[in-house]
mmCIF file of all heavy atoms in Angstrom:
data_model
loop_
_atom_site.group_PDB
_atom_site.id
_atom_site.type_symbol
_atom_site.label_atom_id
_atom_site.label_comp_id
_atom_site.label_asym_id
_atom_site.label_seq_id
_atom_site.Cartn_x
_atom_site.Cartn_y
_atom_site.Cartn_z
ATOM 1 N N GLN A 265 -186.318 -86.826 -107.522
ATOM 2 C CA GLN A 265 -185.700 -85.704 -106.832
ATOM 3 C C GLN A 265 -185.247 -86.137 -105.446
ATOM 4 O O GLN A 265 -185.990 -86.812 -104.735
ATOM 5 C CB GLN A 265 -186.693 -84.536 -106.704
ATOM 6 C CG GLN A 265 -186.096 -83.278 -106.116
ATOM 7 C CD GLN A 265 -185.179 -82.565 -107.078
ATOM 8 O OE1 GLN A 265 -185.119 -82.905 -108.254
ATOM 9 N NE2 GLN A 265 -184.435 -81.607 -106.592
ATOM 10 N N VAL A 266 -184.040 -85.777 -105.100
ATOM 11 C CA VAL A 266 -183.475 -86.128 -103.807
ATOM 12 C C VAL A 266 -183.300 -84.857 -102.987
ATOM 13 O O VAL A 266 -182.748 -83.871 -103.473
ATOM 14 C CB VAL A 266 -182.109 -86.823 -103.965
ATOM 15 C CG1 VAL A 266 -181.506 -87.133 -102.594
ATOM 16 C CG2 VAL A 266 -182.259 -88.104 -104.775
ATOM 17 N N GLN A 267 -183.771 -84.886 -101.779
ATOM 18 C CA GLN A 267 -183.552 -83.771 -100.861
ATOM 19 C C GLN A 267 -182.658 -84.241 -99.721
ATOM 20 O O GLN A 267 -182.840 -85.333 -99.196
ATOM 21 C CB GLN A 267 -184.876 -83.243 -100.322
ATOM 22 C CG GLN A 267 -185.730 -82.558 -101.388
ATOM 23 C CD GLN A 267 -187.003 -81.971 -100.826
ATOM 24 O OE1 GLN A 267 -187.587 -82.508 -99.903
ATOM 25 N NE2 GLN A 267 -187.418 -80.850 -101.400
ATOM 26 N N LEU A 268 -181.705 -83.401 -99.365
ATOM 27 C CA LEU A 268 -180.712 -83.755 -98.370
ATOM 28 C C LEU A 268 -180.750 -82.756 -97.227
ATOM 29 O O LEU A 268 -180.804 -81.549 -97.459
ATOM 30 C CB LEU A 268 -179.313 -83.758 -98.990
ATOM 31 C CG LEU A 268 -179.125 -84.639 -100.220
ATOM 32 C CD1 LEU A 268 -177.775 -84.380 -100.867
ATOM 33 C CD2 LEU A 268 -179.261 -86.108 -99.847
ATOM 34 N N VAL A 269 -180.694 -83.261 -96.020
ATOM 35 C CA VAL A 269 -180.697 -82.400 -94.838
ATOM 36 C C VAL A 269 -179.551 -82.826 -93.925
ATOM 37 O O VAL A 269 -179.540 -83.949 -93.407
ATOM 38 C CB VAL A 269 -182.028 -82.490 -94.075
ATOM 39 C CG1 VAL A 269 -181.980 -81.604 -92.825
ATOM 40 C CG2 VAL A 269 -183.184 -82.073 -94.977
ATOM 41 N N GLU A 270 -178.601 -81.903 -93.742
ATOM 42 C CA GLU A 270 -177.464 -82.177 -92.873
ATOM 43 C C GLU A 270 -177.773 -81.746 -91.437
ATOM 44 O O GLU A 270 -178.561 -80.818 -91.213
ATOM 45 C CB GLU A 270 -176.211 -81.429 -93.343
ATOM 46 C CG GLU A 270 -175.747 -81.751 -94.740
ATOM 47 C CD GLU A 270 -176.176 -80.712 -95.746
ATOM 48 O OE1 GLU A 270 -177.212 -80.050 -95.497
ATOM 49 O OE2 GLU A 270 -175.493 -80.550 -96.772
ATOM 50 N N SER A 271 -177.105 -82.373 -90.504
ATOM 51 C CA SER A 271 -177.210 -81.991 -89.101
ATOM 52 C C SER A 271 -175.945 -82.440 -88.378
ATOM 53 O O SER A 271 -175.162 -83.226 -88.915
ATOM 54 C CB SER A 271 -178.442 -82.616 -88.448
ATOM 55 O OG SER A 271 -178.372 -84.021 -88.492
ATOM 56 N N GLY A 272 -175.769 -81.921 -87.171
ATOM 57 C CA GLY A 272 -174.660 -82.367 -86.339
ATOM 58 C C GLY A 272 -173.503 -81.396 -86.228
ATOM 59 O O GLY A 272 -172.552 -81.665 -85.499
ATOM 60 N N GLY A 273 -173.577 -80.290 -86.947
ATOM 61 C CA GLY A 273 -172.502 -79.314 -86.840
ATOM 62 C C GLY A 273 -172.495 -78.625 -85.490
ATOM 63 O O GLY A 273 -173.419 -78.773 -84.684
ATOM 64 N N GLY A 274 -171.436 -77.881 -85.232
ATOM 65 C CA GLY A 274 -171.334 -77.168 -83.971
ATOM 66 C C GLY A 274 -169.952 -76.611 -83.747
ATOM 67 O O GLY A 274 -169.131 -76.555 -84.672
ATOM 68 N N VAL A 275 -169.713 -76.225 -82.509
ATOM 69 C CA VAL A 275 -168.423 -75.665 -82.109
ATOM 70 C C VAL A 275 -167.695 -76.697 -81.255
ATOM 71 O O VAL A 275 -168.284 -77.262 -80.327
ATOM 72 C CB VAL A 275 -168.591 -74.355 -81.331
ATOM 73 C CG1 VAL A 275 -167.226 -73.802 -80.936
ATOM 74 C CG2 VAL A 275 -169.365 -73.337 -82.160
ATOM 75 N N VAL A 276 -166.449 -76.920 -81.574
ATOM 76 C CA VAL A 276 -165.676 -77.928 -80.843
ATOM 77 C C VAL A 276 -164.241 -77.432 -80.697
ATOM 78 O O VAL A 276 -163.750 -76.661 -81.539
ATOM 79 C CB VAL A 276 -165.729 -79.283 -81.583
ATOM 80 C CG1 VAL A 276 -165.095 -79.184 -82.954
ATOM 81 C CG2 VAL A 276 -165.112 -80.400 -80.758
ATOM 82 N N GLN A 277 -163.584 -77.863 -79.645
ATOM 83 C CA GLN A 277 -162.192 -77.484 -79.440
ATOM 84 C C GLN A 277 -161.271 -78.344 -80.285
ATOM 85 O O GLN A 277 -161.636 -79.470 -80.676
ATOM 86 C CB GLN A 277 -161.838 -77.643 -77.966
ATOM 87 C CG GLN A 277 -162.532 -76.659 -77.041
ATOM 88 C CD GLN A 277 -162.061 -76.786 -75.612
ATOM 89 O OE1 GLN A 277 -161.547 -77.816 -75.190
ATOM 90 N NE2 GLN A 277 -162.225 -75.711 -74.840
ATOM 91 N N PRO A 278 -160.091 -77.845 -80.578
ATOM 92 C CA PRO A 278 -159.110 -78.672 -81.301
ATOM 93 C C PRO A 278 -158.883 -80.003 -80.583
ATOM 94 O O PRO A 278 -158.803 -80.038 -79.345
ATOM 95 C CB PRO A 278 -157.853 -77.807 -81.286
ATOM 96 C CG PRO A 278 -158.351 -76.405 -81.197
ATOM 97 C CD PRO A 278 -159.575 -76.482 -80.333
ATOM 98 N N GLY A 279 -158.823 -81.055 -81.372
ATOM 99 C CA GLY A 279 -158.685 -82.391 -80.811
ATOM 100 C C GLY A 279 -160.003 -83.065 -80.516
ATOM 101 O O GLY A 279 -160.033 -84.266 -80.213
ATOM 102 N N GLY A 280 -161.085 -82.332 -80.617
ATOM 103 C CA GLY A 280 -162.398 -82.877 -80.340
ATOM 104 C C GLY A 280 -162.978 -83.652 -81.504
ATOM 105 O O GLY A 280 -162.332 -83.817 -82.544
ATOM 106 N N SER A 281 -164.216 -84.101 -81.304
ATOM 107 C CA SER A 281 -164.891 -84.929 -82.306
ATOM 108 C C SER A 281 -166.311 -84.444 -82.551
ATOM 109 O O SER A 281 -166.940 -83.861 -81.664
ATOM 110 C CB SER A 281 -164.943 -86.386 -81.826
ATOM 111 O OG SER A 281 -163.657 -86.906 -81.615
ATOM 112 N N LEU A 282 -166.779 -84.687 -83.752
ATOM 113 C CA LEU A 282 -168.167 -84.431 -84.137
ATOM 114 C C LEU A 282 -168.570 -85.473 -85.149
ATOM 115 O O LEU A 282 -167.720 -85.955 -85.910
ATOM 116 C CB LEU A 282 -168.339 -83.050 -84.770
ATOM 117 C CG LEU A 282 -168.469 -81.809 -83.890
ATOM 118 C CD1 LEU A 282 -168.522 -80.562 -84.782
ATOM 119 C CD2 LEU A 282 -169.679 -81.887 -82.991
ATOM 120 N N THR A 283 -169.858 -85.775 -85.182
ATOM 121 C CA THR A 283 -170.401 -86.647 -86.221
ATOM 122 C C THR A 283 -171.519 -85.907 -86.932
ATOM 123 O O THR A 283 -172.477 -85.461 -86.306
ATOM 124 C CB THR A 283 -170.922 -87.957 -85.637
ATOM 125 O OG1 THR A 283 -169.834 -88.680 -85.048
ATOM 126 C CG2 THR A 283 -171.529 -88.820 -86.736
ATOM 127 N N LEU A 284 -171.365 -85.763 -88.238
ATOM 128 C CA LEU A 284 -172.381 -85.153 -89.082
ATOM 129 C C LEU A 284 -173.277 -86.234 -89.669
ATOM 130 O O LEU A 284 -172.815 -87.348 -89.953
ATOM 131 C CB LEU A 284 -171.733 -84.355 -90.207
ATOM 132 C CG LEU A 284 -170.706 -83.300 -89.798
ATOM 133 C CD1 LEU A 284 -170.199 -82.571 -91.051
ATOM 134 C CD2 LEU A 284 -171.259 -82.338 -88.791
ATOM 135 N N SER A 285 -174.530 -85.864 -89.872
ATOM 136 C CA SER A 285 -175.488 -86.760 -90.507
ATOM 137 C C SER A 285 -176.118 -86.063 -91.694
ATOM 138 O O SER A 285 -176.295 -84.845 -91.689
ATOM 139 C CB SER A 285 -176.589 -87.170 -89.526
ATOM 140 O OG SER A 285 -176.065 -87.828 -88.398
ATOM 141 N N CYS A 286 -176.477 -86.846 -92.686
ATOM 142 C CA CYS A 286 -177.169 -86.333 -93.863
ATOM 143 C C CYS A 286 -178.292 -87.298 -94.193
ATOM 144 O O CYS A 286 -178.028 -88.434 -94.603
ATOM 145 C CB CYS A 286 -176.215 -86.190 -95.031
ATOM 146 S SG CYS A 286 -177.017 -85.771 -96.597
ATOM 147 N N ALA A 287 -179.517 -86.830 -93.991
ATOM 148 C CA ALA A 287 -180.677 -87.659 -94.276
ATOM 149 C C ALA A 287 -181.215 -87.323 -95.654
ATOM 150 O O ALA A 287 -181.399 -86.142 -95.988
ATOM 151 C CB ALA A 287 -181.748 -87.417 -93.216
ATOM 152 N N ALA A 288 -181.467 -88.351 -96.442
ATOM 153 C CA ALA A 288 -181.922 -88.172 -97.812
ATOM 154 C C ALA A 288 -183.363 -88.640 -97.957
ATOM 155 O O ALA A 288 -183.750 -89.677 -97.408
ATOM 156 C CB ALA A 288 -181.027 -88.950 -98.768
ATOM 157 N N SER A 289 -184.128 -87.864 -98.700
ATOM 158 C CA SER A 289 -185.476 -88.282 -99.040
ATOM 159 C C SER A 289 -185.454 -88.904 -100.422
ATOM 160 O O SER A 289 -184.468 -88.792 -101.150
ATOM 161 C CB SER A 289 -186.432 -87.090 -99.032
ATOM 162 O OG SER A 289 -186.066 -86.171 -100.056
ATOM 163 N N GLY A 290 -186.524 -89.512 -100.817
ATOM 164 C CA GLY A 290 -186.589 -90.099 -102.143
ATOM 165 C C GLY A 290 -186.154 -91.548 -102.138
ATOM 166 O O GLY A 290 -185.741 -92.098 -101.120
ATOM 167 N N SER A 291 -186.228 -92.151 -103.281
ATOM 168 C CA SER A 291 -185.932 -93.577 -103.393
ATOM 169 C C SER A 291 -184.549 -93.793 -103.990
ATOM 170 O O SER A 291 -183.881 -92.862 -104.401
ATOM 171 C CB SER A 291 -186.984 -94.257 -104.269
ATOM 172 O OG SER A 291 -186.975 -93.678 -105.565
ATOM 173 N N SER A 292 -184.146 -95.035 -104.019
ATOM 174 C CA SER A 292 -182.905 -95.446 -104.670
ATOM 175 C C SER A 292 -181.665 -94.829 -104.048
ATOM 176 O O SER A 292 -180.682 -94.587 -104.728
ATOM 177 C CB SER A 292 -182.934 -95.109 -106.176
ATOM 178 O OG SER A 292 -184.039 -95.698 -106.803
ATOM 179 N N PHE A 293 -181.717 -94.588 -102.749
ATOM 180 C CA PHE A 293 -180.574 -93.968 -102.063
ATOM 181 C C PHE A 293 -179.304 -94.774 -102.273
ATOM 182 O O PHE A 293 -178.222 -94.211 -102.459
ATOM 183 C CB PHE A 293 -180.893 -93.862 -100.568
ATOM 184 C CG PHE A 293 -179.737 -93.395 -99.714
ATOM 185 C CD1 PHE A 293 -179.424 -92.048 -99.642
ATOM 186 C CD2 PHE A 293 -178.967 -94.301 -98.988
ATOM 187 C CE1 PHE A 293 -178.370 -91.610 -98.850
ATOM 188 C CE2 PHE A 293 -177.914 -93.867 -98.199
ATOM 189 C CZ PHE A 293 -177.614 -92.518 -98.129
ATOM 190 N N SER A 294 -179.426 -96.086 -102.278
ATOM 191 C CA SER A 294 -178.235 -96.931 -102.305
ATOM 192 C C SER A 294 -177.441 -96.827 -103.599
ATOM 193 O O SER A 294 -176.270 -97.193 -103.637
ATOM 194 C CB SER A 294 -178.616 -98.395 -102.052
ATOM 195 O OG SER A 294 -179.456 -98.869 -103.087
ATOM 196 N N ILE A 295 -178.054 -96.332 -104.669
ATOM 197 C CA ILE A 295 -177.338 -96.283 -105.939
ATOM 198 C C ILE A 295 -176.460 -95.053 -106.062
ATOM 199 O O ILE A 295 -175.612 -94.975 -106.947
ATOM 200 C CB ILE A 295 -178.301 -96.328 -107.149
ATOM 201 C CG1 ILE A 295 -179.068 -94.994 -107.281
ATOM 202 C CG2 ILE A 295 -179.228 -97.522 -107.056
ATOM 203 C CD1 ILE A 295 -179.874 -94.906 -108.562
ATOM 204 N N TYR A 296 -176.660 -94.085 -105.187
ATOM 205 C CA TYR A 296 -175.916 -92.834 -105.307
ATOM 206 C C TYR A 296 -174.557 -92.907 -104.643
ATOM 207 O O TYR A 296 -174.402 -93.479 -103.561
ATOM 208 C CB TYR A 296 -176.689 -91.679 -104.672
ATOM 209 C CG TYR A 296 -177.942 -91.289 -105.397
ATOM 210 C CD1 TYR A 296 -179.188 -91.611 -104.899
ATOM 211 C CD2 TYR A 296 -177.868 -90.586 -106.595
ATOM 212 C CE1 TYR A 296 -180.345 -91.251 -105.562
ATOM 213 C CE2 TYR A 296 -179.020 -90.223 -107.274
ATOM 214 C CZ TYR A 296 -180.242 -90.553 -106.751
ATOM 215 O OH TYR A 296 -181.383 -90.196 -107.412
ATOM 216 N N ILE A 297 -173.595 -92.305 -105.310
ATOM 217 C CA ILE A 297 -172.366 -91.981 -104.606
ATOM 218 C C ILE A 297 -172.709 -90.832 -103.653
ATOM 219 O O ILE A 297 -173.217 -89.794 -104.076
ATOM 220 C CB ILE A 297 -171.261 -91.546 -105.571
ATOM 221 C CG1 ILE A 297 -170.886 -92.704 -106.501
ATOM 222 C CG2 ILE A 297 -170.032 -91.054 -104.808
ATOM 223 C CD1 ILE A 297 -169.906 -92.334 -107.591
ATOM 224 N N MET A 298 -172.445 -91.040 -102.382
ATOM 225 C CA MET A 298 -172.717 -90.003 -101.381
ATOM 226 C C MET A 298 -171.392 -89.384 -100.948
ATOM 227 O O MET A 298 -170.384 -90.084 -100.770
ATOM 228 C CB MET A 298 -173.430 -90.587 -100.175
ATOM 229 C CG MET A 298 -174.803 -91.149 -100.487
ATOM 230 S SD MET A 298 -175.952 -89.930 -101.146
ATOM 231 C CE MET A 298 -176.049 -88.758 -99.776
ATOM 232 N N GLY A 299 -171.410 -88.093 -100.783
ATOM 233 C CA GLY A 299 -170.171 -87.428 -100.428
ATOM 234 C C GLY A 299 -170.356 -86.281 -99.467
ATOM 235 O O GLY A 299 -171.459 -85.744 -99.320
ATOM 236 N N TRP A 300 -169.282 -85.966 -98.798
ATOM 237 C CA TRP A 300 -169.198 -84.781 -97.953
ATOM 238 C C TRP A 300 -168.169 -83.837 -98.553
ATOM 239 O O TRP A 300 -167.086 -84.267 -98.945
ATOM 240 C CB TRP A 300 -168.792 -85.147 -96.524
ATOM 241 C CG TRP A 300 -169.879 -85.811 -95.744
ATOM 242 C CD1 TRP A 300 -170.054 -87.156 -95.550
ATOM 243 C CD2 TRP A 300 -170.939 -85.167 -95.037
ATOM 244 N NE1 TRP A 300 -171.165 -87.386 -94.778
ATOM 245 C CE2 TRP A 300 -171.726 -86.182 -94.448
ATOM 246 C CE3 TRP A 300 -171.304 -83.844 -94.847
ATOM 247 C CZ2 TRP A 300 -172.850 -85.893 -93.678
ATOM 248 C CZ3 TRP A 300 -172.421 -83.561 -94.083
ATOM 249 C CH2 TRP A 300 -173.183 -84.577 -93.501
ATOM 250 N N TYR A 301 -168.543 -82.580 -98.600
ATOM 251 C CA TYR A 301 -167.681 -81.520 -99.084
ATOM 252 C C TYR A 301 -167.671 -80.416 -98.040
ATOM 253 O O TYR A 301 -168.542 -80.368 -97.173
ATOM 254 C CB TYR A 301 -168.190 -80.981 -100.421
ATOM 255 C CG TYR A 301 -168.077 -81.977 -101.544
ATOM 256 C CD1 TYR A 301 -168.912 -83.091 -101.619
ATOM 257 C CD2 TYR A 301 -167.116 -81.822 -102.545
ATOM 258 C CE1 TYR A 301 -168.800 -84.023 -102.627
ATOM 259 C CE2 TYR A 301 -167.000 -82.742 -103.579
ATOM 260 C CZ TYR A 301 -167.842 -83.831 -103.614
ATOM 261 O OH TYR A 301 -167.719 -84.744 -104.621
ATOM 262 N N ARG A 302 -166.704 -79.516 -98.146
ATOM 263 C CA ARG A 302 -166.687 -78.399 -97.210
ATOM 264 C C ARG A 302 -166.187 -77.138 -97.901
ATOM 265 O O ARG A 302 -165.463 -77.201 -98.892
ATOM 266 C CB ARG A 302 -165.820 -78.708 -95.998
ATOM 267 C CG ARG A 302 -164.331 -78.869 -96.292
ATOM 268 C CD ARG A 302 -163.593 -79.345 -95.041
ATOM 269 N NE ARG A 302 -162.160 -79.479 -95.270
ATOM 270 C CZ ARG A 302 -161.308 -80.001 -94.395
ATOM 271 N NH1 ARG A 302 -161.761 -80.451 -93.206
ATOM 272 N NH2 ARG A 302 -160.022 -80.090 -94.670
ATOM 273 N N GLN A 303 -166.594 -76.029 -97.347
ATOM 274 C CA GLN A 303 -166.165 -74.747 -97.895
ATOM 275 C C GLN A 303 -165.846 -73.823 -96.741
ATOM 276 O O GLN A 303 -166.728 -73.489 -95.932
ATOM 277 C CB GLN A 303 -167.240 -74.140 -98.792
ATOM 278 C CG GLN A 303 -166.786 -72.892 -99.515
ATOM 279 C CD GLN A 303 -167.738 -72.488 -100.628
ATOM 280 O OE1 GLN A 303 -168.881 -72.931 -100.684
ATOM 281 N NE2 GLN A 303 -167.251 -71.662 -101.538
ATOM 282 N N ALA A 304 -164.591 -73.431 -96.668
ATOM 283 C CA ALA A 304 -164.151 -72.477 -95.659
ATOM 284 C C ALA A 304 -164.279 -71.064 -96.217
ATOM 285 O O ALA A 304 -164.288 -70.874 -97.438
ATOM 286 C CB ALA A 304 -162.703 -72.772 -95.272
ATOM 287 N N PRO A 305 -164.368 -70.079 -95.362
ATOM 288 C CA PRO A 305 -164.500 -68.694 -95.837
ATOM 289 C C PRO A 305 -163.365 -68.319 -96.787
ATOM 290 O O PRO A 305 -162.188 -68.553 -96.490
ATOM 291 C CB PRO A 305 -164.435 -67.875 -94.548
ATOM 292 C CG PRO A 305 -164.917 -68.802 -93.484
ATOM 293 C CD PRO A 305 -164.433 -70.157 -93.891
ATOM 294 N N GLY A 306 -163.738 -67.764 -97.925
ATOM 295 C CA GLY A 306 -162.749 -67.316 -98.896
ATOM 296 C C GLY A 306 -162.108 -68.410 -99.714
ATOM 297 O O GLY A 306 -161.184 -68.145 -100.490
ATOM 298 N N LYS A 307 -162.574 -69.641 -99.529
ATOM 299 C CA LYS A 307 -161.985 -70.763 -100.261
ATOM 300 C C LYS A 307 -163.038 -71.471 -101.090
ATOM 301 O O LYS A 307 -164.243 -71.328 -100.866
ATOM 302 C CB LYS A 307 -161.337 -71.747 -99.280
ATOM 303 C CG LYS A 307 -160.153 -71.174 -98.532
ATOM 304 C CD LYS A 307 -159.450 -72.251 -97.723
ATOM 305 C CE LYS A 307 -158.214 -71.699 -97.034
ATOM 306 N NZ LYS A 307 -157.499 -72.761 -96.263
ATOM 307 N N GLN A 308 -162.564 -72.268 -102.046
ATOM 308 C CA GLN A 308 -163.473 -73.036 -102.872
ATOM 309 C C GLN A 308 -163.966 -74.268 -102.116
ATOM 310 O O GLN A 308 -163.296 -74.767 -101.204
ATOM 311 C CB GLN A 308 -162.768 -73.470 -104.165
ATOM 312 C CG GLN A 308 -162.496 -72.335 -105.123
ATOM 313 C CD GLN A 308 -161.970 -72.822 -106.458
ATOM 314 O OE1 GLN A 308 -161.319 -73.859 -106.536
ATOM 315 N NE2 GLN A 308 -162.278 -72.098 -107.515
ATOM 316 N N ARG A 309 -165.116 -74.746 -102.528
ATOM 317 C CA ARG A 309 -165.634 -75.974 -101.943
ATOM 318 C C ARG A 309 -164.713 -77.134 -102.323
ATOM 319 O O ARG A 309 -164.288 -77.239 -103.468
ATOM 320 C CB ARG A 309 -167.055 -76.234 -102.427
ATOM 321 C CG ARG A 309 -167.783 -77.337 -101.694
ATOM 322 C CD ARG A 309 -169.244 -77.415 -102.128
ATOM 323 N NE ARG A 309 -169.979 -76.195 -101.797
ATOM 324 C CZ ARG A 309 -171.289 -76.062 -101.933
ATOM 325 N NH1 ARG A 309 -172.017 -77.087 -102.371
ATOM 326 N NH2 ARG A 309 -171.886 -74.933 -101.621
ATOM 327 N N GLU A 310 -164.426 -78.002 -101.366
ATOM 328 C CA GLU A 310 -163.509 -79.102 -101.619
ATOM 329 C C GLU A 310 -164.107 -80.416 -101.135
ATOM 330 O O GLU A 310 -164.909 -80.453 -100.197
ATOM 331 C CB GLU A 310 -162.166 -78.871 -100.916
ATOM 332 C CG GLU A 310 -162.254 -78.805 -99.398
ATOM 333 C CD GLU A 310 -160.888 -78.662 -98.738
ATOM 334 O OE1 GLU A 310 -159.875 -78.558 -99.445
ATOM 335 O OE2 GLU A 310 -160.855 -78.655 -97.493
ATOM 336 N N LEU A 311 -163.669 -81.482 -101.785
ATOM 337 C CA LEU A 311 -164.114 -82.809 -101.399
ATOM 338 C C LEU A 311 -163.488 -83.198 -100.076
ATOM 339 O O LEU A 311 -162.310 -82.962 -99.845
ATOM 340 C CB LEU A 311 -163.728 -83.818 -102.479
ATOM 341 C CG LEU A 311 -164.093 -85.276 -102.242
ATOM 342 C CD1 LEU A 311 -164.411 -85.951 -103.580
ATOM 343 C CD2 LEU A 311 -162.976 -86.047 -101.557
#
């Protein structure tokens, strides 16, 4: 079982920068395809 915890979100002005992190528990992390997805209000989750 893999547990994932994201961090680093926030409020930023246009043109700004942010770095998100995702820490995974469990073993064999290196074998997984890791991805980031997003979902805006009223929209489907997208890669």
Side-chain angles (χ1 to χ4, degrees):
Q265 185 73 10
V266 178
Q267 292 183 326
L268 305 171
V269 179
E270 301 100 333
S271 61
V275 180
V276 63
Q277 292 185 338
S281 300
L282 278 176
T283 297
L284 306 182
S285 300
C286 172
S289 65
S291 60
S292 304
F293 173 80
S294 63
I295 72 172
Y296 292 106
I297 296 174
M298 296 300 298
W300 287 97
Y301 293 72
R302 66 187 181 187
Q303 187 167 17
K307 295 188 177 181
Q308 290 188 331
R309 191 173 297 188
E310 63 176 3
L311 179 147

